[in-house]
């Protein structure tokens, strides 16, 4: 059985985090490990995480990142701490609100092998799936994802889905250095992956997998005004990784 570790960034999640769902899966699956990163929360998030850690001391790691440093740094620190914590077969990240369920995440893990080293979820609304997303967020997301796909020159439908998983060997390389962007770091991951495996090998080594279920929990921490800056943010990322070649 694969040992799967999920990094979960948490910022003021007291009223949103479905901790019972996390605990249920930890109880069912002894090969599941979770690294919660408390990113300077000012509510009772840390208290909730500590109780979970007390129940599952061998399966749960808590990192208290203070002050708040943002989602990108939380995931970066979480992955690198998890790599030192135990030996895993897969390592990735998931949003604390479980918009993508743990079951969906584990399905992504099941695809990984010696050749396929990076899988990620895709929120494609289609017949037979339950993808529930607010219209305005869907439209903004599609614009962002389309622009990202053009810059990457890759047929990626959904760069921003908060469910991505890697083999630990690739995770070590992808998360070797901090990201230059806080909210667009997902796009950076693809640029880094291209540099690691080579542009011609990306579609052989990575797979985008449509999710069966995804729910828009709401209360996004990304302000609408920031969406206006996203194209410039993406161009900055493009220039940065182009200059590294």
């Amino acid at each position: 059985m694969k040992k799967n570790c999920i990094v979960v960034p948490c910022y003021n999640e007291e009223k949103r985090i479905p901790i019972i769902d996390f605990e249920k899966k930890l109880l069912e699956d002894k090969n599941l490990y979770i690294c919660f990163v408390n990113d300077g929360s000012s509510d009772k998030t840390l208290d909730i995480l500590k109780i979970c850690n007390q129940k599952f001391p061998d399966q749960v790691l808590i990192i208290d990142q203070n002050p708040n440093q943002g989602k990108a740094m939380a995931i970066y620190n979480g992955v690198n701490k998890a790599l030192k914590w135990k030996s895993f077969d897969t390592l990735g990240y998931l949003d604390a609100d479980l918009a993508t369920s743990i079951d969906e995440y584990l399905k992504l893990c099941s695809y990984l092998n010696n050749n396929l080293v990076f899988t990620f979820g895709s929120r494609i609304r289609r017949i037979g799936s339950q993808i529930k997303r607010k219209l305005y967020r869907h439209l903004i997301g599609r614009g962002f994802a389309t622009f990202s796909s053009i810059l990457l020159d890759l047929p990626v439908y959904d760069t921003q889905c908060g469910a991505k998983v890697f083999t630990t060997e690739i995770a070590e390389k992808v998360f070797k250095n901090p990201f230059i962007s806080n909210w667009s770091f997902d796009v950076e991951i693809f640029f880094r992956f291209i540099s690691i495996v080579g542009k011609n090998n990306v579609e052989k080594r990575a797979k985008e997998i449509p999710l069966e279920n995804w729910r828009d929990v709401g209360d996004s921490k990304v302000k609408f005004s920031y969406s206006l800056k996203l194209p410039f943010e993406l161009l900055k990322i493009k220039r940065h990784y182009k200059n590294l070649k």
Side-chain angles (χ1 to χ4, degrees), residues 151-164:
L151 290 182
L152 289 164
D153 191 24
L154 287 175
V156 183
Y157 178 84
D158 191 356
T159 56
Q160 300 308 108
C161 181
K164 294 182 173 65

Side-chain angles (χ1 to χ4, degrees), residues 37 40 52 69 168 179:
V37 183
C52 183
Q69 298 178 50
T168 50
F179 297 100

Side-chain angles (χ1 to χ4, degrees), residues 72-239:
M73 186 57 71
I75 292 175
Y76 167 78
N77 286 333
V79 168
N80 282 282
K81 292 287 187 181
L83 286 168
K84 297 176 181 178
W85 178 32
K86 294 178 184 290
S87 177
F88 302 109
D89 295 294
T90 74
L91 184 56
Y93 60 90
L94 201 59
D95 290 335
D97 57 18
L98 290 184
T100 303
S101 70
I102 297 177
D103 285 335
E104 290 274 18
Y105 178 91
L106 292 176
K107 184 176 73 172
L108 300 180
C109 293
S110 69
Y111 283 88
L112 296 181
N113 52 48
N114 291 333
N115 294 315
L116 199 63
V117 296
F118 171 32
T119 56
F120 54 100
S122 186
R123 297 164 292 185
I124 301 174
R125 189 175 183 182
R126 63 201 190 284
I127 293 175
S129 66
Q130 295 295 319
I131 308 298
K132 300 178 181 179
R133 198 175 188 187
K134 293 182 176 65
L135 179 60
Y136 79 93
R137 293 183 67 177
H138 170 72
L139 294 175
I140 293 173
R142 290 308 316 133
F144 181 89
T146 300
F147 193 34
S148 299
S149 179
I150 292 171
L151 290 182
L152 289 164
D153 191 24
L154 287 175
V156 183
Y157 178 84
D158 191 356
T159 56
Q160 300 308 108
C161 181
K164 294 182 173 65
V165 58
F166 314 80
T167 60
T168 50
E169 181 183 0
I170 290 297
E172 289 176 355
K173 297 176 181 178
V174 169
F175 294 90
K176 182 178 180 180
N177 298 306
F179 297 100
I180 66 169
S181 170
N182 189 33
W183 293 109
S184 303
F185 70 93
D186 293 89
V187 179
E188 288 190 63
I189 286 175
F190 287 96
F191 277 110
R192 292 182 181 192
F193 188 72
I194 290 171
S195 68
I196 292 168
V197 304
K199 181 66 178 299
N200 294 332
N201 293 318
V202 169
E203 293 189 51
K204 300 175 185 176
R205 310 299 308 275
K207 187 176 184 66
E208 184 169 18
I209 301 170
L211 300 176
E212 296 297 326
N213 296 278
W214 189 89
R215 59 194 180 96
D216 194 340
V217 179
D219 297 325
S220 172
K221 297 179 176 67
V222 183
K223 295 181 179 179
F224 176 77
S225 59
Y226 184 73
S227 65
L228 303 176
K229 303 176 184 178
L230 288 176
F232 303 100
E233 182 89 346
L234 292 177
L235 290 173
K236 181 181 77 172
I237 292 171
K238 172 76 171 181
R239 286 194 298 269

